[in-house]
Amino acid sequence: MNERVDVGRDVEVDIAVVGAGPGGMAAAVAARSAGRSVVVLDEQPRPGGQIYRGIENATPALRGVLGTDYAAGAAPVDALRASGAHYVPGAAVWQITRERELHYLQDGAARRLRAGRVILCMGAIERPMPMPGWTLPGVMTAGAAQILLKSSAVAPAGPVALAGCGPLLYLLAWQLRRAGVPVRAVIDTTDWRAYARALPLLPGALREWRLLAKGMRLLAALRGDGTAVYGGAQALAVEGDEAARAIRFIAGGRAHRVDASLILLHQGVVPNTHASMALRAAHRWDDAQLCWVPVTHETGELAGLPGVFVAGDGAGIIGAQACAVSGRIAGLAAAGNHAAPAEIAALLASLRRTRAARRYLDRLFRPLPSLRVPADDVIVCRCEEVTAGELRRLVRAGCEGPNQMKAFTRCGMGPCQGRQCAVTVSELIAAERGVPVEQVGHLRIRPPLKPITLGELAT
Ligand SMILES: Cc1cc2nc3c(=O)[nH]c(=O)nc-3n(C[C@H](O)[C@H](O)[C@H](O)COP(=O)(O)OP(=O)(O)OC[C@H]3O[C@@H](n4cnc5c(N)ncnc54)[C@H](O)[C@@H]3O)c2cc1C
């Protein structure tokens, strides 16, 4: 087993990890601890993934704004740097074959890597939130605004309104307040009924009380500094002609309108399944998390595709701390470390605990049906400007699934390759046909997973 790996043109390595977030970093360190040669490919310029994005460059002031959870990312990044794994920044993986050959683009050159084992730790993407006015200038996702803050220390001038549901909504509102950004309101679609529905799952979640306490602290901090927080919001709509200027909604039985030049939307994250789908791995519809998840063994190995593992939020949403645990499990299992079974068993037990808390959060922050399957005049596919009404009309005309829909409307054929609409399209067709989403299926994903020019391909 060679220790150092020169990632020239065509290279063989024991284990290739795609993604250097908490999951990928833990997987690489675990595999290295078993003496395997490891290459980590990540499209970002530095390790950290979504949660710890840009941590190595973040000033103490920015770390202060982003909070202790963010600052805690320095340790796993240092561990990766010290592990002997070969970290390849700016490497956008655009194809992975079932024979475990990885094709990636770096500095405009196409490169290839063959691996004995592959661990996909490609994280999550934000769930689309199709609603009236969501395509207007001045409307972004909360995650996009947070990426600007983490990677470039850029904060919006404001005033800002945040709308939707889920932990990230409150976290970002709190981070923006700490950065001195005027936050006009946090408009939360979670209502009291959601709390009632989630109650039966609370006992199981209390074993991870720190996770829950963190959310309550964020809410208290926002209320404490006078930020308006509206709960149980519905009938959300962004107002504006050329650009967003306000958001309207109903809460507490009353109509509200909040002026804001920037409206940040967020209703949770879903696994980034493009690579596992392009590998033709089996996926199932997870109705608790309202998304497609790859079918895996408990170590993360894909069912029917030995040697390829998925870990982190890409295998189902579990949160940053648990992503590191599932990454370590996959790293140890992929390395075939015979001393690992006991440790893997203990790690699996802690993952089960976290999943119990996650089930509570999933039920509590379940996005509203109206914000998942929108009204006819709302654009669903932003790339090709296809509305929900067009999709419904074609379902009534006999269209049964998203791939047929793509052929009829180009929906999902644009630059984002369905990242912004695939979940919505499957849910909409299922609702219109009155069948389970599983029966409708998901968009077929093909390489390239990331844009690549013919010129780059020719290299
Ligand atoms: C925009 C956004 C912001 C978030 N912010 C927070 C937060 O502040 N706090 C929190 O607790 N949780 C946050 N989350 C949730 C986040 O999913 C988890 O906390 C955690 O980061 C997931 O870890 P992971 O290792 O699974 O993947 P990630 O941390 O997402 O890391 C995946 C890595 O894979 C890379 N990648 C993906 N596709 C490719 C490809 N084709 N080629 C090469 N590299 C690729 C990505 O660039 C990324 O660096 C955020 C999620 C999103 C989508």
Side-chain angles (χ1 to χ4, degrees), residues 340-350 352:
E343 184 185 351
I344 290 180
L347 292 168
L348 285 169
S350 100
R352 276 189 287 276

Side-chain angles (χ1 to χ4, degrees), residues 224-431:
D225 89 343
T227 303
V229 177
Y230 298 89
Q234 43 188 306
L236 281 65
V238 176
E239 201 181 276
D241 307 319
E242 303 304 311
R245 60 171 180 269
I247 181 165
R248 285 183 281 108
F249 59 98
I250 293 173
R254 282 186 44 226
H256 297 266
R257 181 180 178 282
V258 172
D259 286 336
S261 56
L262 179 63
I263 296 175
L264 300 176
L265 304 179
H266 179 83
Q267 56 178 3
V269 293
V270 295
N272 175 1
T273 53
H274 267 51
S276 48
M277 283 182 174
L279 280 164
R280 300 279 171 275
H283 288 70
R284 63 178 177 81
W285 177 257
D286 180 329
D287 200 57
Q289 296 202 331
L290 296 169
C291 60
W292 296 100
V293 293
V295 178
T296 67
H297 302 291
E298 62 179 4
T299 58
E301 192 164 23
L302 283 169
L305 200 50
V308 182
F309 295 72
V310 184
D313 274 351
I317 307 303
I318 49 176
Q321 278 68 39
C323 287
V325 174
S326 85
R328 184 159 180 81
I329 293 170
L332 292 172
N337 178 340
H338 305 299
E343 184 185 351
I344 290 180
L347 292 168
L348 285 169
S350 100
L351 213 47
R352 276 189 287 276
R353 273 197 308 279
T354 309
R355 286 211 167 97
R358 182 54 52 176
R359 277 194 289 281
Y360 172 77
L361 294 175
D362 292 337
R363 193 171 292 173
L364 180 60
F365 295 125
R366 191 175 178 85
L368 295 178
S370 59
L371 288 173
R372 295 180 352 241
V373 179
D376 278 359
D377 57 355
V378 174
I379 285 180
V380 165
C381 171
R382 302 174 65 126
C383 299
E384 304 289 336
E385 299 192 355
V386 182
T387 66
E390 285 170 83
L391 299 177
R392 284 194 182 94
R393 188 172 51 73
L394 285 161
V395 176
R396 289 183 208 127
C399 179
E400 297 205 337
N403 296 298
Q404 212 181 3
M405 192 62 84
K406 185 175 181 177
F408 290 160
T409 65
R410 296 184 54 79
C411 184
M413 217 183 257
C416 90
Q417 289 291 295
R419 289 176 175 86
Q420 286 275 335
C421 67
V423 172
T424 311
V425 173
S426 288
E427 285 213 82
L428 184 149
I429 297 174

Side-chain angles (χ1 to χ4, degrees), residues 19 22-23 42-44 50-51 91 93 121-123 146 150 171 313:
D42 191 279
E43 62 194 344
Q44 291 195 48
Q50 291 292 8
I51 180 171
V93 176
C121 301
M122 301 162 84
Q146 196 200 44
K150 285 178 180 172
L171 175 63
D313 274 351

